[in-house]
């Protein structure tokens, strides 16, 4: 497949944009190839600047549950733009939108709109600290919560009690407020709780992890976190930036029946525009300015184009109720990938919750960061490149979720499985060095 124009634009972009990208993973470094430059997209298909067409499983990193350029969203954004692009004042649309969310996720009694998942989680953490008067939070290795200072922390070593910053520029004193536990391991939480109990403001978790590849919570894990928070007077924060309106209308909280005190949302709720939110218990949320003394604000928060897109997305999702269909498509893709791997004698595991899944090149179940780090990353990179050449765009990293949209039909799934049957064979010749 010819991608000469993408290559040319990449060279040119590097002269003005850092690394030629506006978000690191777009560089395709993890899959050892040049990045694709997108030109347009519709439904499950994305076109690059060279005119190649791909079945897209990136779906703007999970933002597009209804597929690319859904008619309802286009119409809503166009109409909203005609009325003005930003006012910096309250609008009726924001309240309609907020009502959708409070109805869908009952633990969210009040919410605040922001523009990115990073802002949503960062603000929820500040609020939890303000509400409890405590400073430490527990996060889990392998979970990503945006790039705010204290959350850019992952397990440095098995012995680390305090978080080690995963980025230069994060003072270790900030990272020290973040305590690291292992995903799916309540004992690791208990060890931290024994030591820091009444200093812990919140436990923050991706209730289905999506950022070490998809890793579902073990039975009892989320319930255990809920109980621990209640016991020590900390807040439970679910980062549902990926899972909100993705795994079910009511997110993971509906899917697994565990209630959070605070929830961060993003991606799907914006219908592809910059929109995110955090919300939860009214008594906690009302600590936020102007009701309380925890400060948070934003010039473009509740931007009318973004909120109109989000409202149109949620309205269309509610009417269509795509979740059973997404589950069937997900199941079909999962089975197809497992069969393809088996026929080629390649060890893989597929983790899937509804329409989010990851194919891991590994012979052990992936249940946490340690097991996800042991996958054969070079094999995934080879697989990714073959799939791309076959017209299927996957996330350009072995540690990301693939997203199925409501526009991925039987045709696209079958084509993807056919392509994977060939690609897995060629990936099998790769070794992890
Ligand atoms: N939380 C989770 C679970 C995410 O997956 C992401 C982004 N992938 C974020 C937070 C940050 O969101 P954003 O990129 O919109 O800042």
């Amino acid at each position: 497949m010819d991608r000469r124009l993408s290559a040319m634009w990449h060279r040119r972009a590097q002269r003005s944009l850092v690394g030629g990208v506006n978000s690191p993973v777009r560089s395709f470094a993890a899959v050892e190839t040049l990045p694709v430059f997108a030109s347009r997209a519709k439904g499950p298909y994305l076109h690059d600047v060279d005119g190649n067409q791909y079945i897209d499983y990136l779906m703007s990193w999970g933002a597009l549950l209804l597929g690319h350029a859904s008619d309802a969203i286009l119409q809503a954004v166009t109409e909203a733009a005609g009325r003005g692009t930003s006012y910096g004042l309250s609008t009726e649309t924001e309240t309609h939108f907020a009502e959708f969310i409070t109805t869908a996720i009952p633990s969210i009694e009040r919410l605040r709109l922001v523009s990115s998942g990073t802002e949503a989680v960062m603000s929820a953490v500040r609020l939890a600290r303000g509400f409890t008067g405590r400073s430490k939070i527990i996060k889990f290795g392998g979970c990503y919560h945006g790039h705010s200072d204290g959350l850019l922390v992952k397990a440095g070593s098995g012995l680390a009690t305090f978080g080690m910053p995963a980025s230069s520029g994060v003072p270790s004193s900030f990272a020290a407020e973040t305590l690291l536990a292992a995903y799916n391991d309540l004992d690791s939480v208990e060890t931290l709780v024994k030591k820091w109990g009444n200093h812990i403001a919140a436990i923050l978790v991706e209730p289905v992890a999506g950022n070490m590849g998809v890793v579902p919570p073990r039975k009892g894990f989320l319930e255990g976190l809920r109980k621990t928070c209640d016991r020590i007077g900390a807040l439970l924060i679910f980062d549902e930036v990926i899972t909100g309106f993705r795994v079910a209308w009511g997110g993971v909280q509906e899917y697994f029946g565990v209630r959070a005190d605070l929830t961060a949302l993003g991606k799907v709720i914006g219908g592809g525009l910059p929109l995110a939110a955090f919300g939860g218990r009214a008594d906690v949320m009302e600590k936020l300015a102007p009701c309380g003394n925890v400060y948070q604000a934003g010039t473009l928060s509740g931007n009318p184009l973004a909120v109109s897109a989000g409202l149109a997305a949620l309205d269309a999702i509610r009417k269509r109720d795509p979740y059973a269909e997404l589950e069937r498509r997900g199941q079909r893709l999962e089975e197809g990938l497992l069969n393809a791997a088996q026929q080629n004698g390649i060890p893989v595991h597929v983790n899937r919750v509804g329409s989010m899944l990851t194919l891991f090149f590994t012979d052990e179940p992936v249940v946490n960061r340690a097991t996800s780090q042991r996958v054969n990353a070079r094999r995934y990179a080879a697989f990714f490149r073959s799939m791309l050449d076959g017209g299927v765009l996957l996330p350009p990293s072995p540690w990301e979720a693939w997203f199925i949209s409501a526009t991925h039909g039987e045709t696209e799934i079958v084509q993807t499985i056919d392509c994977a049957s060939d690609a897995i064979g060629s990936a099998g010749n790769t070794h992890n060095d």
Side-chain angles (χ1 to χ4, degrees):
M1 199 176 262
D2 187 357
R3 278 190 291 276
R4 263 177 289 187
L5 287 177
S6 273
M8 185 277 283
W9 277 108
H10 180 52
R11 278 194 304 276
R12 181 163 162 187
Q14 283 172 301
R15 293 199 285 271
S16 52
L17 289 164
V18 181
V21 295
N22 284 312
S23 202
V25 75
R26 294 182 200 171
S27 70
F28 283 32
V31 286
E32 299 164 20
T33 190
L34 292 176
V36 165
F37 273 60
S39 63
R40 67 194 164 87
K42 184 78 183 169
Y45 293 103
L46 182 135
H47 293 252
D48 67 16
V49 285
D50 288 279
N52 302 307
Q53 175 179 286
Y54 307 94
I55 302 173
D56 183 12
Y57 289 93
L58 193 54
M59 282 288 137
S60 189
W61 303 93
L64 306 173
L65 190 74
L66 297 168
H68 286 285
S70 115
D71 291 340
I73 294 175
L74 290 188
Q75 191 186 340
V77 172
T78 312
E79 281 173 17
R83 295 190 295 269
T85 53
S86 182
Y87 316 115
L89 289 172
S90 297
T91 63
E92 295 164 41
T93 327
E94 288 169 315
T95 299
H96 288 307
F97 180 75
E99 286 167 356
F100 259 96
I101 293 189
T102 54
T103 313
I105 306 175
S107 72
I108 302 186
E109 296 169 336
R110 302 278 188 283
L111 69 149
R112 165 89 27 108
L113 302 185
V114 292
S115 303
S116 70
T118 295
E119 264 187 284
V121 186
M122 178 186 79
S123 309
V125 167
R126 180 181 306 145
L127 180 59
R129 287 178 168 142
F131 181 79
T132 59
R134 303 171 177 185
S135 64
K136 300 216 181 290
I137 57 157
I138 292 181
K139 95 170 263 291
F140 295 88
C143 286
Y144 176 69
H145 301 289
H147 63 88
S148 64
D149 282 342
L151 301 180
L152 271 187
V153 172
K154 61 187 172 190
S157 85
L159 294 175
T161 308
F162 290 122
M164 295 290 291
S167 164
S168 162
V170 176
S172 50
S173 56
F174 289 16
E177 299 297 343
T178 307
L179 307 171
L180 274 166
Y183 199 79
N184 273 329
D185 180 352
L186 288 173
D187 289 344
S188 71
V189 175
E190 200 46 42
T191 305
L192 294 173
V193 163
K194 278 215 179 83
K195 187 151 188 203
W196 300 104
N198 55 9
H199 296 278
I200 298 169
I203 298 181
L204 168 64
V205 68
E206 282 184 79
V208 169
N211 285 288
M212 47 184 151
V214 173
V215 177
R218 274 190 180 135
K219 204 167 177 343
F221 178 58
L222 299 177
E223 292 82 350
L225 297 182
R226 176 70 274 168
K227 280 201 193 115
T228 303
C229 283
D230 292 342
R231 179 162 51 90
I232 65 171
L235 299 183
L236 180 59
I237 307 178
F238 276 1
D239 180 347
E240 296 223 43
V241 165
I242 290 180
T243 56
F245 296 91
R246 158 72 51 191
V247 297
W249 176 247
V252 170
Q253 297 180 60
E254 176 187 317
Y255 198 90
F256 287 118
V258 178
R259 197 178 167 101
D261 298 305
L262 292 175
T263 302
L265 296 167
K267 306 213 187 235
V268 173
I269 67 162
L273 271 84
L275 180 61
F278 65 102
R281 275 166 45 186
D283 60 329
V284 179
M285 287 303 290
E286 285 182 355
K287 286 280 175 208
L288 206 58
C291 302
N293 56 7
V294 176
Y295 195 70
Q296 187 282 331
T299 301
L300 292 180
S301 292
N303 171 267
L305 300 196
V307 176
S308 300
L311 189 60
L314 296 191
D315 188 42
I317 293 168
R318 191 191 51 172
K319 287 187 182 129
R320 175 155 176 183
D321 192 7
Y323 298 103
E325 194 184 325
L326 286 168
E327 170 63 27
R328 276 197 301 279
R329 300 264 186 255
Q331 213 170 3
R332 178 94 174 79
L333 181 57
E334 175 181 352
E335 283 164 11
L337 292 170
L338 289 172
N339 283 339
Q342 203 181 16
Q343 277 160 19
N344 284 281
I346 308 285
V348 302
H349 275 79
V350 175
N351 282 353
R352 182 180 68 84
V353 177
S355 59
M356 53 190 281
L357 67 80
T358 302
L359 170 70
F360 294 104
F361 287 95
T362 178
D363 54 11
E364 64 182 327
V366 176
V367 296
N368 54 23
R369 182 167 188 270
T371 43
S372 85
Q373 287 292 302
R374 289 199 287 268
V375 303
N376 188 329
R378 304 228 44 206
R379 193 167 273 183
Y380 181 83
F383 176 71
F384 171 92
R385 293 191 300 267
S386 296
M387 292 295 277
L388 194 65
D389 284 339
V392 179
L393 176 62
L394 301 176
S397 154
W399 296 287
E400 298 285 353
W402 309 14
F403 294 105
I404 301 169
S405 80
T407 57
H408 287 76
E410 182 68 12
T411 315
E412 287 78 25
I413 300 287
V414 168
Q415 211 175 316
T416 305
I417 294 168
D418 286 349
C419 187
S421 304
D422 297 338
I424 282 186
S426 55
N429 304 323
T430 322
H431 299 284
N432 223 5
D433 4 86

